[in-house]
Amino acid sequence: MLEEVERWLTTRSWSVADRPPHKILAAKRCSGQSISVVLPALNEEATVGAIVEVIRRDLVERTPLVDEIVVIDSGSTDRTSEVAAAAGARVVHRDAILPRIPSVPGKGEVLWRSLLVTRGDIVCFIDADLREFSADFVSGIVGPLLTDPDVHLVKAMYDRPLDGAVGQGGRVTELMARPLLNMHWPQLAGFVQPLGGEYAARRGLLEQLPFPVGYGVELGMLVDALHLVGLDALAQVDVGVRKHRHQDGQALGRMAAAIYRTAQLRLARGHLLRPALTQFERGTDGFEPRTYSVDTEERPPMAEIAEYAARRVA
């Protein structure tokens, strides 16, 4: 590990206990910064309501830390929108945001569009499939942004149990993202959960970043932020344990392909020879190929979008 990263681990890796709620709230009041929490959601009616309720109860009503909770529904066919609204979130459909640019499926697409319908100086992203959710996931990662003006992006770190086994979650991280980062961007080797969906950043940084539309958004954002603001502007906070829905192996393969594509573009901005992934499933006549396209689109920095610029002037 680089000496720079070893030093970073001692100066930019914290525990949620390092900043008690009263200290964070005092820093918010002193700075006058506002906080938006965004939950990208697709068919998450089983979990999204409980997450919104915890944030509203603990960080809006009991401790006035969060200024708005916004759920971006990316085309759910269940009751995600109704459950989220009943729990106290403002729900916005992905396709209603910036309609002149047709939306495409993907998590990064939703996060990118969320910048247009939120107002916070700090934007906190939280996945909507978490179980046994704690408000520490929010307060832990916004804390450094409120108390340290030199920090611009904070990732959550945590244990990810799989079927009851500690440390076995995050398979795409260990098999794809971590090797890529260690070999090509060793300054980022200290991040425990580089692909984690829980992170917070200053709006001024987010609006300058391109957003891969799919699963590559977390890796792309981390790499681009490193180049834009430097390692010391990035940080991570231990928030405990993350429990969520795990995907099957083939879905993880498609995720890994999107992440590799994101890394490839940042390494060379080169031409993809075959932006597709073929996997195999056993059928009645043996193994049958299934080919999936790998999303190759990225959204430009939000600061370049006319509607966003107009909103800021207004």
Side-chain angles (χ1 to χ4, degrees), residues 107 155 158 172-173 177 193-197 215 218-219 255 259:
K107 180 182 180 182
K155 298 277 294 190
Y158 32 66
V172 176
T173 292
Q193 297 291 352
L195 300 185
Y215 285 122
E218 274 84 24
L219 183 134
M255 186 183 301
I259 290 164

Side-chain angles (χ1 to χ4, degrees), residues 4-5 42 56 58 61 65 67-68 73 76 93-94 96 114 124 144 153 164 166 180 189 228 231 275 288 294 297:
E4 180 183 6
V5 177
L42 176 63
R56 177 179 52 78
D58 293 352
E61 297 172 354
L65 185 68
D67 296 282
E68 62 176 349
D73 191 330
S76 298
H93 195 282
R94 173 199 63 197
S114 75
C124 176
L153 184 149
V166 177
L180 280 172
L228 194 62
L231 181 60
E288 300 175 356
V294 175
E297 189 169 359

Side-chain angles (χ1 to χ4, degrees), residues 140-286:
I141 57 179
V142 302
L145 294 164
L146 291 170
T147 60
D148 190 335
D150 294 327
V151 174
H152 289 255
L153 184 149
V154 182
K155 298 277 294 190
M157 56 177 167
Y158 32 66
D159 294 316
R160 295 183 67 180
L162 176 63
D163 298 329
V166 177
Q168 296 303 306
R171 291 162 287 174
V172 176
T173 292
E174 300 303 330
L175 297 175
M176 175 60 71
R178 200 177 307 287
L180 280 172
L181 292 175
N182 275 262
M183 287 186 288
H184 299 295
W185 296 281
Q187 286 178 295
L188 298 174
F191 277 93
V192 175
Q193 297 291 352
L195 300 185
E198 291 70 46
Y199 48 99
R202 301 191 189 282
R203 178 175 293 272
L205 171 62
L206 293 173
E207 66 187 14
Q208 296 180 67
L209 298 176
F211 277 60
V213 298
Y215 285 122
V217 63
E218 274 84 24
L219 183 134
M221 187 177 298
L222 205 55
V223 170
D224 293 340
L226 172 68
H227 292 303
L228 194 62
V229 295
L231 181 60
D232 281 342
L234 313 180
Q236 60 185 351
V237 173
D238 187 348
V239 297
V241 179
R242 182 186 197 264
K243 297 181 180 180
H244 64 111
R245 181 186 68 252
H246 292 281
Q247 301 195 55
D248 62 36
Q250 293 210 335
L252 295 180
R254 297 190 289 276
M255 186 183 301
I259 290 164
Y260 179 76
R261 189 277 313 178
T262 300
Q264 181 193 47
L265 290 180
R266 278 152 182 78
L267 284 168
R269 297 292 171 181
H271 175 64
L272 280 175
L273 297 179
R274 184 175 181 269
L277 174 73
T278 298
Q279 297 176 316
F280 293 87
E281 299 177 7
R282 184 180 289 279
T284 55
D285 298 320

